[in-house]
Amino acid sequence: MNISPRDQLVFSAVMSLYCDGHGVPVASSKLVKQTGMAVCSATVRNAMARLEKAGLLYSPHTSAGRVPTEDGFKFWFEQFFELGELGQYWQPEQSQLVEFAHTLSQKYKVCCCVGLPQVSSQTVFRVEILDFDADTWLVLLIDRSGQSNNICINKPEQNSDQLRYQFATWLNTVFSQQSLMEGLHRMRAMANTAPAQCKVLLAQWTRVLAQQLGSDNSIVVGERHLYNQLELTKELQIGVNLLHWIEDRLAFKNGVSVLLPHDLPYSEFKDCIVLSVPYFANLEYQSRFCIIAPRITAIESLITEFSAIGEIGG
């Protein structure tokens, strides 16, 4: 799109003033006054008229000032930000993901939807089995930092402490220094070497482990901000379903991506944008960190937060 440098300057100023958390139409006099541009209001009005003709701005009603169109937002993100260069191969810890989500939600009154790290990719350092209750054993799959994933499995009929110790020894052989996913593969491949009394239930246990360790999970922070600002009354599926939808559309895209209202799955999001960045563990893709924000949010400030994202666990 061929826009003169002066018109680009006016357009950028309109976007900054509109996306300041209030979303008030920007008048030429307001733009000159608040930006200190060395031009008169008439010059700015003429530039706004050209930008409106180009489809980047529109006027809600006569003498109301201008607001950006969806094409205007698209042009702004494409031409004024190098989003693909931000947050390259971000590798945060889970605690940093959660802390970052809470910080942004509280600071900007936005909703953050975050896919949690894939449990199946974590490496097991040792396995312990505890006698949990009359019917179940508690399996602890512990990583090198001491954190564990805990799974309950049914006890075999001929249960004893000795059998529990034998099965724990076998699981340590299977899982030692392996990712959880690889450990599950090894459980199936090494089934014939398991204690005899455990073989009957081994297929069931493997299935339970696979279902629980491979399950998708997410956290949603600041959902109330989204519902309040959009004046929503019905519940939306903000979580794993939304993350899967976003992942399908942003597959293989690194850095920060933007989804505009026409890209989003809910009509209720007609006044929202989504900022999304993937994160990794050992350079392997894990999930996405997404911000769902009204278009009037202080977007430039949010992007500044993303510009420092590589310093968080990077």
Side-chain angles (χ1 to χ4, degrees), residues 231-292:
E231 298 182 352
L232 299 179
T233 56
K234 75 173 186 177
E235 184 175 346
L236 301 178
Q237 297 299 314
I238 302 172
V240 170
N241 290 340
L242 179 62
L243 283 169
H244 284 175
W245 191 93
I246 291 173
E247 285 176 335
D248 287 345
R249 279 146 187 81
L250 299 179
F252 309 116
K253 291 193 68 174
N254 198 5
V256 176
S257 297
V258 178
L259 293 170
L260 296 171
H262 75 270
D263 300 318
L264 300 175
Y266 305 121
S267 60
E268 291 84 359
F269 284 176
K270 66 183 186 301
D271 294 320
C272 289
I273 65 167
V274 171
L275 297 173
S276 178
V277 63
Y279 67 89
F280 300 78
N282 299 319
L283 296 182
E284 292 185 0
Y285 172 78
Q286 296 296 301
S287 190
R288 282 191 167 271
F289 186 106
C290 299
I291 298 174
I292 310 166

Side-chain angles (χ1 to χ4, degrees), residues 32 37 89 123 201 207 224 250 292:
V32 171
M37 293 178 65
Y89 295 102
T123 299
L201 289 175
R207 186 168 59 253
R224 70 186 185 281
L250 299 179
I292 310 166

Side-chain angles (χ1 to χ4, degrees), residues 78-252:
E78 289 178 349
Q79 299 297 320
F80 291 81
F81 303 97
E82 295 182 349
L83 296 180
E85 302 302 317
L86 303 180
Q88 288 276 331
Y89 295 102
W90 184 33
Q91 298 194 76
E93 299 292 335
Q94 181 171 332
S95 60
Q96 292 170 318
L97 282 172
V98 175
E99 181 181 357
F100 193 45
H102 279 281
T103 297
L104 295 183
S105 177
Q106 293 173 7
K107 188 174 180 179
Y108 297 99
K109 309 303 180 186
V110 295
C111 177
C112 296
C113 180
V114 186
L116 295 181
Q118 296 175 6
V119 173
S120 56
S121 68
Q122 296 176 357
T123 299
V124 177
F125 182 64
R126 73 178 190 277
V127 181
E128 296 180 6
I129 301 180
L130 305 180
D131 195 354
F132 187 66
D133 59 27
D135 301 314
T136 55
W137 284 341
L138 179 64
V139 180
L140 281 64
L141 302 163
I142 304 168
D143 65 19
R144 189 173 291 276
S145 68
Q147 296 184 339
S148 67
N149 293 289
N150 305 331
I151 310 294
C152 282
I153 60 175
N154 294 330
K155 290 180 178 178
E157 288 187 8
Q158 298 178 342
N159 171 53
S160 67
D161 287 341
Q162 183 179 3
L163 178 60
R164 178 164 55 88
Y165 298 146
Q166 289 176 352
F167 187 55
T169 300
W170 181 77
L171 282 181
N172 272 290
T173 301
V174 170
F175 277 94
S176 180
Q177 303 302 306
Q178 303 293 329
S179 70
L180 290 168
M181 186 60 71
E182 180 60 27
L184 289 171
H185 293 321
R186 286 164 60 90
M187 279 184 72
R188 297 183 181 97
M190 298 172 63
N192 289 334
T193 65
Q197 299 93 326
C198 296
K199 290 181 181 178
V200 175
L201 289 175
L202 195 58
Q204 176 192 347
W205 290 339
T206 305
R207 186 168 59 253
V208 169
L209 287 168
Q211 288 174 346
Q212 295 193 41
L213 295 178
S215 63
D216 293 311
N217 203 355
S218 68
I219 61 168
V220 178
V221 179
E223 193 173 6
R224 70 186 185 281
H225 298 312
L226 190 64
Y227 280 79
N228 290 341
Q229 293 181 42
L230 299 181
E231 298 182 352
L232 299 179
T233 56
K234 75 173 186 177
E235 184 175 346
L236 301 178
Q237 297 299 314
I238 302 172
V240 170
N241 290 340
L242 179 62
L243 283 169
H244 284 175
W245 191 93
I246 291 173
E247 285 176 335
D248 287 345
R249 279 146 187 81
L250 299 179
F252 309 116

